[in-house]
Amino acid sequence: MTAIDLNADLGEGFGRWRLTDDEQLLSVVTSANVACGFHAGDAATMRRVCEMAAARGVTIGAQVSYRDLAGFGRRAMDVPPAELAAEVAYQIGALEVFARAAGARVAYVKPHGALYNRVVHDEDQAAAVVDGVLLADASLTVLGLPGSRLLDLAGKAGLPAVPEAFADRAYTDAGTLVPRDRDGAVVSDPEAVVDRSVGLARSGSVIAHSGARIQVRARSLCLHGDTAGAVDLARRVRERLVAAGVRVEAFA
């Protein structure tokens, strides 16, 4: 039976402001990408999400980012590799404190936003992220885009590398994500998102922005929690996957 993990970006709040419905999404997903304070999140939020994830048996991952609270981690930055490696390790370590306090652990690392897209092609930035993961914990899994420099370098460094796909993001013919500032970059039709989810899990393929069918083989499927109706959509995706004979389970 085909197996797929469902991950979502959680803990994306700060102080009294909350963006994602963490509690409800944790009843659907199998892996939680928890914001570690650089693009969103704070100590209290990280602790709360880790406690809820641990109680529900959801795997905890560190969603690391450039230091960019004002831009939600989506602005391009040039960070020296040594500094970036240290900041990646710092974020992982902060989340690990709260994961262990909840009786769990950080099991994987996923870059966020501009950093995620940068390490698809940028050798130096990808190597810095890998160095940061190794500095924090050499047993951690790295989650990223199939064919990215990040996953290639992670594998060469001995880190488990897991590819993921996005049902609600448009793809280029090369298998990369269409930049968010372009028309059609985000798939907003709920039924299309559900259909794409099943297709990605069952056949490892999706229709690209150009209309061509491309291969995107992934072990995890990202469900964005900051879109309207995210919880209901996540539930529909999971129900359709199960109905299609797909086993929904964490990769780590």
Side-chain angles (χ1 to χ4, degrees), residues 173-242:
D173 287 357
T176 58
L177 300 179
V178 174
R180 280 182 175 270
D181 60 357
R182 296 185 185 175
D183 290 340
V186 177
V187 180
S188 57
D189 177 28
E191 192 60 30
V193 173
V194 173
D195 289 343
R196 286 161 65 92
S197 299
V198 175
L200 285 162
R202 291 291 302 273
S203 67
S205 66
V206 69
I207 300 299
H209 193 51
S210 68
R213 180 169 291 278
I214 62 171
Q215 292 297 305
V216 181
R217 299 198 177 277
R219 176 63 179 83
S220 186
L221 184 65
C222 181
L223 304 174
H224 282 108
D226 59 348
T227 55
V231 174
D232 288 339
L233 180 58
R235 289 194 178 115
R236 287 181 60 189
V237 167
R238 180 158 185 162
E239 289 169 358
R240 282 280 293 277
L241 287 169
V242 172

Side-chain angles (χ1 to χ4, degrees), residues 64-204:
V64 298
S65 171
Y66 287 128
R67 189 188 293 270
D68 181 27
L69 272 177
F72 197 60
R74 288 180 175 164
R75 296 185 293 190
M77 293 187 170
D78 288 313
V79 181
E83 182 178 335
L84 180 58
E87 292 190 340
V88 166
Y90 178 93
Q91 292 175 78
I92 297 168
L95 186 64
E96 179 69 8
V97 168
F98 300 117
R100 289 194 177 276
R105 60 178 290 268
V106 173
Y108 67 95
V109 178
K110 173 184 173 178
H112 165 82
L115 181 58
Y116 186 96
N117 291 317
R118 182 74 171 267
V119 297
V120 171
H121 301 295
D122 191 309
E123 185 93 9
D124 291 340
Q125 296 285 279
V129 172
V130 170
D131 287 344
V133 175
L134 291 170
L135 180 61
D137 183 347
S139 71
L140 292 171
T141 296
V142 175
L143 183 64
L145 202 70
S148 65
R149 298 304 301 141
L150 176 66
L151 292 193
D152 180 54
L153 293 175
K156 290 178 179 177
L159 297 168
V162 173
E164 72 167 339
F166 296 81
D168 63 352
R169 290 294 309 278
Y171 281 86
T172 68
D173 287 357
T176 58
L177 300 179
V178 174
R180 280 182 175 270
D181 60 357
R182 296 185 185 175
D183 290 340
V186 177
V187 180
S188 57
D189 177 28
E191 192 60 30
V193 173
V194 173
D195 289 343
R196 286 161 65 92
S197 299
V198 175
L200 285 162
R202 291 291 302 273
S203 67

